Amino acid sequence: MAGPDDRESVLAAASPTALFGEGAGDALSLRRAYAALARVWRDDDEVTRHVRALYEQARAAVETAASAPTVDDTGTPVPSPLPPADVSAQLMAALEARDAPRLLALLRNHADPLVLRHSALVIDALSFLVYGVGEHLGPDALDAVALVTARPDLDAPPHNIEALEIAIETLRALFAAEADPEVAQPLCEAVRKSWFHAPVSAARVWVWLRGELAAQQIDLDAAFHHLERHHPALFGALQRAEIRMAAGGEERLPPAEARAVLREELPPTSELLAKTGAAQATLAPALLLAVLFGAYVCGAPRALIVGMFTGGIYPYFIGPLRTVAKVQRRIEALTSRGNADLLALAEQEGLWPGELARALVPQDVVPRGNAPAYPQDHPLQQLRSDPTALLRCIGSAHIARLTPPEVS
Amino acid sequence: MCAADPIGIDLGTTHSVVAVFDGDRPRVLPHPLGDTLVPSELAVDDGGHLLVGAPARTVRLRDPTRGLARFKQGMGSGQPVRLGDQELTPASASALVLRELKQAAEQQLGEPVERAVISVPAWFRESERQATLHAGRLAGLEVLRLINEPTAAALAHGLHAGDDLRSVAVLDLGGGTFDVTVLELFEGVIDVRASVGDVRLGGEDVTDAIVTWLTAEAGARALPQRAGRLRYSAERAKRALSATEAVEVVRDGLDDGTSTLTRAVLAELCAPLRDRMRRLIQQALVQAGLRGPQIDEVVLVGGAVRMPLVQELAEAQFGQPPLLLGEVDHLVALGAAVQAALVTGHEAVRERLVTDVLTHSLGVASQQRWGDQVYADRFVPVLGRGTALPASRTSTFETLHHQQTYVEFKVYEGERREASANHMLGTVRVEVPPHEEETAREDVSVRFTHDVSGLLQVEATAVSTGERSEVVLERGGQRYSPEERAAVAAELAQLKVHPRDLLPNRWLLERAITVVEHLSGSTREELDRMVLGFEAALDEGDPQRISSWRAPLNERVVGLEHSLGIEP
């Protein structure tokens, strides 16, 4: 043990034991030893820093030894903990044992050395805590995880951190939604049950959810609207669920027959545009020519002017207008049927709503910019934007589609 | 006349307090106008004279366009604040409050006061600390040390502590800031383990929430001139709810209707604020490596902790009722006075030892490579948040190109991963030798050394040549040259400050005018006559005539304030 009044020997002490002595093995003795030295050297920054650094080391060791479990949940004695200094080994052991409470305790008590020297291991631990058991963490534990994730000295690829942060925000939203009496709780339960599960398991949960919502007569639109306004991160997670499930299998096309019927009822917008565009382009000059001509030859035979209108204007003006009206009637007819047909098709064929919309609305039909668009209440538009669509159609065909084939 | 002992100042968002270490303990110095809490407010009166403290508050509540408050929240931002037709920086405005406190202390102690320790929120950044130091110097004070508010509170509280090892959490909710500090007390040692906070979260946010609620209830917006009265109603309701379950609030300044505000409604209004506080508490606990129930004592500090919702939150987080000490408004100033005694080596506190921590990480900007991707503008902390002070640490970096001839480190303070999103403190540049070989790189080490008084030394060394370069970033004063400081001081000197000896009369007059505005009928006429008589006496300057008007007016105003529920 270094003499407290000898500056050189204090600075030469390389370990906590060398500075504070063997007796400083418990919390209070260690603090007493530290306080005595710190008081003596309070005006000497170099010695103070050295004393403090060794004190922090010793303190961490004392705390780790004190917090290490001696018996497991069943009361069975567990082997002695690893050397206190080697917290990374403890973290690895806890990770292998998938021991979330121990991981949390280690991250809480030893975040500094772990983040400084073992960032990769910390990322593994955080990933397990967030993706693996995130739904079981309470708000306080989640805060602890979030704090370590947010540390700027955590040495990890930014996209890994961003993914963790998004998941943490979703969990925060989940916990907040669970405490909100206005939220349809089966939605929260479904997020919990399917938290980072395989697509087929998630689909099973969603089939359960569909039944539960129906049994509880929950208004889906109102429930989702409330989530979107008050818990947008959770709303986003529900929207992403379909993407995750859809990514679990190959994209499928709806049956050709169904596709053909819908295609016939909905001619590609490009055709419509070609006709109306041509009319718009020629209508103005044709009219202008007719008026100028009529004015110029004031006494000219009327037949000429009538000919201008019937021969020139009709094909370019009345014709396209009739076409537009016809297509509009078809759209209205389909709109009046609602999207129930489409969802029934999706349920029967195990299609994801987005998949169906993509298949039925090829790129050339999708309205762009200021071009005439299908109305917002059109089934295809609804199918593309309705966050509840999946819950209105998911069924056993989806599960079957995601279930991996048995390997003999 | 010799100078007095250094004072301790709690420069708060809404109120400020001054204390001095007297004999073997600190004591608060009351302001000559009577209260120990001096509102951190400024106003201009009808004659364009500057008012500070209680009189300024009276004027501002009556007419917000003539007053200025909450300027502490703008410290270090560089954004000017407006007082009448004057434009001030938040530091200059704070300097005027500090000067008032200095003069009040001098009046109480009968000696000139030249030195002070000033408290700042633990979460204040470098620029905010600099602005506070600047304000202190503008006020004519030598600022011995800035002390974090929760640490100061713990220092005052810890004076009464025994030798047992105890973990203490200090929750400091002031008007505009919230700090959580976890510390250990043992045998006179105060060891700060973690300190976190939010400089935009305080009791004033609760008042804001009530104002918003009242505005929604009335379905109308308050006129700017009447916004002060609405805010005053909201403040009174907030305070009343600390003692009662429900309170009728007059929508003063809106439609003059009434709304019933209950604790339950207030809890709902404050749910987002409560969640922010809860997260900060958890952050402090995580940083300290402790769980809520492991804390032995929870101490609440700051005027806003009287709100039951704060006490309930503390109890829920720590599993024990918090300590709400009688001197909740004074603890920080008392602690600052103890720190002043510590700095000057006062015998009574010789055995006390305080170790504080760095509240924001300090580091440099760098590029980082992950696989094939290179990410620029990454912040690499060298001294992490929570590091005990004093501290010194070295990190090593390598050059980007073989022909590089120098490396310039940008030094930042903050927690964001993107370096440029943090607060830049300065740069340090070191020459490195270029290499012929394309793959050759040069190692450069950077050492950060931070002492307890706020001095940060950054030293960069080229490892192969030993070429060294260093910069000292004094946390305070560096941004303001003596010339700049003198120029601002001259500007402040030009402000027409109301004579201090006439201040009690001026305040009484402002209070009387406020009461008149709340009255109608014969009582109003009667008081109005008294006000006019008092004003005429003040204009004449005849002391006998002034005192003959003063006594009855004061008696009448105090009585009416009481019956109308107006705070002086």
Side-chain angles (χ1 to χ4, degrees):
Chain A
M1 183 177 168
D5 296 333
D6 180 3
R7 187 175 190 276
E8 294 312 313
S9 68
V10 171
L11 284 174
S15 69
T17 315
L19 189 63
F20 302 116
E22 292 287 348
D26 67 279
L28 199 54
S29 311
L30 173 65
R31 282 167 177 81
R32 281 199 179 121
Y34 161 71
L37 276 170
R39 278 200 188 94
V40 171
W41 299 104
R42 68 200 309 168
D43 296 325
D44 187 326
D45 271 4
E46 192 184 353
V47 180
T48 302
R49 284 200 302 267
H50 184 66
V51 170
R52 183 76 197 189
L54 291 178
Y55 169 65
E56 292 291 343
Q57 267 186 40
R59 195 175 183 279
V62 168
E63 279 171 9
T64 305
S67 69
T70 51
V71 290
D72 64 16
D73 291 343
T74 60
T76 313
V78 295
S80 304
L82 292 160
D86 197 358
V87 284
S88 67
Q90 291 194 33
L91 192 72
M92 202 178 288
L95 199 51
E96 280 170 11
R98 304 173 78 78
D99 182 347
R102 185 84 186 123
L103 282 174
L104 269 171
L106 287 163
L107 288 178
R108 277 177 185 275
N109 293 334
H110 307 285
D112 282 346
L114 284 170
V115 169
L116 279 174
R117 297 186 197 98
H118 309 285
S119 274
L121 200 55
V122 171
I123 285 287
D124 287 347
L126 291 173
S127 301
F128 169 69
L129 288 169
V130 173
Y131 305 137
V133 295
E135 75 277 27
H136 301 299
L137 300 175
D140 291 353
L142 187 64
D143 281 344
V145 169
L147 283 170
V148 179
T149 310
R151 286 180 64 130
D153 47 357
L154 183 59
D155 203 9
H159 56 265
N160 283 7
I161 303 283
E162 279 161 22
L164 276 168
E165 284 173 342
I166 290 169
I168 288 168
E169 273 316 300
T170 308
L171 285 170
R172 279 206 172 117
L174 173 65
F175 300 153
E178 285 176 332
D180 180 351
E182 301 283 311
V183 170
Q185 289 305 317
L187 290 172
C188 297
E189 210 176 330
V191 173
R192 256 182 193 281
K193 285 181 169 178
S194 59
W195 184 251
F196 281 89
H197 279 209
V200 64
S201 309
R204 283 196 188 103
V205 172
W206 279 64
V207 171
W208 164 85
L209 175 62
R210 188 184 174 192
E212 195 66 19
L213 290 168
Q216 293 188 26
Q217 296 182 325
I218 289 169
D219 179 349
L220 263 183
D221 289 324
F224 272 75
H225 180 67
H226 180 81
L227 275 190
E228 189 175 12
R229 278 196 64 196
H230 299 282
H231 308 281
L234 193 63
F235 177 78
L238 288 166
Q239 283 196 307
R240 287 195 300 274
E242 182 192 331
I243 299 170
R244 284 183 50 232
M245 286 186 238
E250 293 293 315
E251 184 159 337
R252 279 191 193 172
L253 288 175
E257 192 184 326
R259 214 163 59 237
V261 171
L262 288 160
R263 281 288 193 96
E264 193 187 331
E265 292 208 44
L266 293 172
T269 314
S270 52
E271 286 175 22
L272 189 65
L273 286 180
K275 286 179 181 171
T276 52
Q280 284 165 352
T282 53
L283 178 63
L287 267 174
L288 187 65
L289 272 176
V291 170
L292 285 176
F293 187 76
Y296 181 69
V297 291
C298 195
R302 288 185 179 177
L304 186 59
I305 296 173
V306 171
M308 280 294 295
F309 273 97
T310 53
I313 305 297
Y314 179 81
Y316 289 100
F317 181 59
I318 308 288
L321 280 184
R322 287 187 61 193
T323 309
V324 170
K326 193 176 163 188
V327 171
Q328 193 64 39
R329 278 199 300 277
R330 285 181 182 173
I331 290 173
E332 280 167 11
L334 194 59
T335 305
S336 67
R337 276 160 51 189
N339 60 9
D341 291 355
L342 297 176
L343 290 174
L345 180 68
E347 183 174 2
Q348 184 189 322
E349 299 297 327
L351 299 166
W352 310 108
E355 197 175 46
L356 187 65
R358 275 195 302 281
L360 291 178
V361 189
Q363 205 57 34
D364 68 324
V365 180
V366 177
R368 299 271 183 219
N370 295 324
Y374 294 122
Q376 280 301 312
D377 58 349
H378 185 270
L380 290 184
Q381 293 280 34
Q382 281 188 9
L383 206 60
R384 291 163 67 85
S385 60
D386 182 4
T388 69
L390 178 63
L391 274 174
R392 296 184 198 274
C393 70
I394 194 163
S396 53
H398 293 86
I399 296 174
R401 185 180 161 189
L402 291 172
T403 306
E406 283 184 22
V407 181
S408 59
Chain B
M1 187 184 279
C2 62
D5 284 337
I7 53 174
I9 296 177
D10 171 10
L11 181 61
T13 308
T14 51
H15 291 94
S16 296
V17 184
V18 60
V20 68
F21 200 86
D22 196 2
D24 61 348
R25 59 182 57 239
R27 73 177 169 93
V28 171
L29 297 171
H31 189 269
L33 289 181
D35 202 351
T36 51
L37 298 181
V38 178
S40 306
E41 301 199 18
L42 306 174
V44 280
D45 65 9
D46 296 331
H49 286 94
L50 180 78
L51 297 168
V52 185
R57 180 178 156 80
T58 306
V59 170
R60 184 186 64 84
L61 286 177
R62 205 172 60 238
D63 183 359
T65 58
R66 285 165 54 194
L68 181 59
R70 294 167 78 175
F71 37 82
K72 181 180 170 184
Q73 292 187 315
M75 288 290 258
S77 67
Q79 292 289 320
V81 286
R82 222 169 165 77
L83 174 64
D85 55 0
Q86 297 271 351
E87 215 171 60
L88 301 170
T89 62
S92 303
S94 298
L96 293 168
V97 174
L98 288 170
R99 192 168 67 186
E100 177 66 26
L101 295 171
K102 174 180 182 286
Q103 290 171 348
E106 285 171 341
Q107 204 168 331
Q108 289 290 323
L109 298 170
E111 293 168 325
V113 170
E114 290 168 359
R115 297 172 300 165
V117 167
I118 303 176
S119 69
V120 289
W123 207 240
F124 254 20
R125 289 182 184 279
E126 164 63 19
S127 57
E128 292 154 332
R129 286 170 194 268
Q130 269 193 14
T132 307
L133 274 166
H134 182 52
R137 287 164 185 170
L138 284 175
L141 290 164
E142 181 194 344
V143 183
L144 297 173
R145 187 78 54 90
L146 294 180
I147 183 170
N148 290 337
E149 285 165 5
T151 310
L155 199 46
H157 174 64
L159 281 183
H160 316 296
D163 285 348
D164 297 345
L165 171 63
R166 281 180 303 150
S167 293
V168 178
V170 180
L171 272 54
D172 180 1
L173 185 66
T177 60
F178 180 56
D179 283 327
V180 186
T181 292
V182 177
L183 40 91
E184 281 183 353
L185 298 179
F186 57 96
E187 296 181 355
V189 177
I190 294 169
D191 192 15
V192 177
R193 304 301 306 175
S195 206
V196 301
D198 188 335
V199 290
R200 297 280 183 278
L201 173 60
E204 292 291 301
D205 293 284
V206 177
T207 310
D208 285 345
I210 299 174
V211 167
T212 308
W213 177 75
L214 287 173
T215 309
E217 286 270 299
R221 278 187 171 277
L223 293 170
Q225 295 85 350
R226 302 189 72 196
R229 294 177 69 161
L230 177 64
R231 193 166 184 82
Y232 182 58
S233 282
E235 265 181 31
R236 281 181 60 197
K238 180 180 80 176
R239 288 184 197 178
L241 278 182
S242 297
T244 178
E245 282 295 324
V247 61
E248 289 285 313
V249 197
V250 179
R251 297 193 292 264
D252 205 354
L254 288 168
D255 60 354
D256 293 335
T258 57
S259 298
T260 305
L261 182 64
T262 61
R263 279 191 186 177
V265 171
L266 185 63
E268 201 176 307
L269 295 176
C270 296
L273 300 176
R274 208 174 47 226
D275 194 50
R276 281 165 68 190
M277 288 187 224
R278 186 192 63 78
R279 280 198 202 177
L280 288 168
I281 292 171
Q282 285 305 314
Q283 193 176 335
L285 286 170
V286 167
Q287 204 171 306
L290 293 170
R291 308 293 298 272
Q294 289 176 293
I295 296 290
D296 300 306
E297 235 172 53
V298 183
V299 179
L300 299 185
V301 185
V305 297
R306 292 190 180 91
M307 288 188 289
L309 67 95
V310 180
Q311 294 162 33
E312 286 160 14
L313 173 72
E315 187 161 358
Q317 292 296 304
F318 296 100
Q320 60 179 299
L323 287 178
L324 193 63
L325 306 173
E327 51 201 2
V328 65
D329 292 312
H330 298 154
L331 267 184
V332 172
L334 291 170
V338 177
Q339 178 69 51
L342 271 168
V343 174
T344 51
H346 200 292
E347 188 62 34
V349 289
R350 186 174 289 278
E351 287 303 298
R352 303 278 153 193
L353 185 70
V354 185
T355 60
D356 217 327
V357 294
L358 205 58
T359 49
H360 297 281
S361 300
L362 294 166
V364 296
S366 173
Q367 292 199 355
Q368 279 180 327
R369 184 183 294 278
W370 284 101
D372 296 337
Q373 293 258 47
V374 175
Y375 296 92
D377 191 33
R378 309 307 294 173
F379 176 55
V380 182
V382 179
L383 288 176
R385 174 176 70 188
T387 304
L389 298 177
S392 183
R393 203 165 283 161
T394 304
S395 287
T396 303
F397 300 82
E398 65 174 26
T399 50
L400 287 168
H401 309 289
H402 64 291
Q403 288 183 328
Q404 206 166 323
T405 55
Y406 70 91
V407 176
E408 186 173 76
F409 288 101
K410 288 181 179 169
V411 180
Y412 286 93
E413 174 192 47
E415 311 304 328
R416 300 282 296 273
R417 285 202 175 79
E418 305 79 28
S420 53
N422 293 312
H423 178 70
M424 195 168 115
L425 299 179
T427 58
V428 58
R429 177 175 155 147
V430 64
E431 309 294 326
V432 293
H435 294 274
E436 289 297 320
E437 199 184 330
E438 258 187 43
T439 53
R441 296 288 181 269
E442 181 69 25
D443 282 346
V444 182
S445 68
V446 186
R447 170 174 282 273
F448 276 46
T449 305
H450 199 300
D451 72 5
V452 287
S453 62
L455 209 69
L456 172 66
Q457 184 183 14
V458 182
E459 184 184 290
T461 308
V463 173
S464 68
T465 62
E467 175 84 21
R468 184 179 298 181
S469 174
E470 73 170 46
V471 62
V472 176
L473 303 166
E474 185 191 349
R475 303 189 81 186
Q478 193 211 19
R479 302 268 169 87
Y480 303 96
S481 65
E483 294 77 25
E484 284 171 316
R485 204 172 297 131
V488 180
E491 264 178 46
L492 291 185
Q494 283 179 354
L495 291 173
K496 291 190 293 178
V497 181
H498 204 281
R500 284 186 61 77
D501 52 344
L502 300 181
L503 213 52
N505 291 337
R506 185 75 229 174
W507 189 32
L508 174 61
L509 189 63
E510 296 293 348
R511 285 163 58 198
I513 294 169
T514 301
V515 172
V516 165
E517 287 190 1
H518 279 78
L519 294 172
S520 60
S522 59
T523 320
R524 180 183 175 122
E525 283 171 21
E526 178 212 343
L527 190 66
D528 213 11
R529 274 197 301 277
M530 294 176 85
V531 168
L532 286 172
F534 188 52
E535 265 185 314
L538 287 176
D539 288 343
E540 277 178 29
D542 177 359
Q544 205 172 354
R545 201 165 135 70
I546 291 173
S547 61
S548 71
W549 277 100
R550 185 184 159 78
L553 179 65
N554 188 47
E555 193 181 330
R556 195 79 180 102
V557 166
V558 169
L560 285 167
E561 279 176 341
H562 185 70
S563 59
L564 291 169
I566 300 172
E567 280 180 36

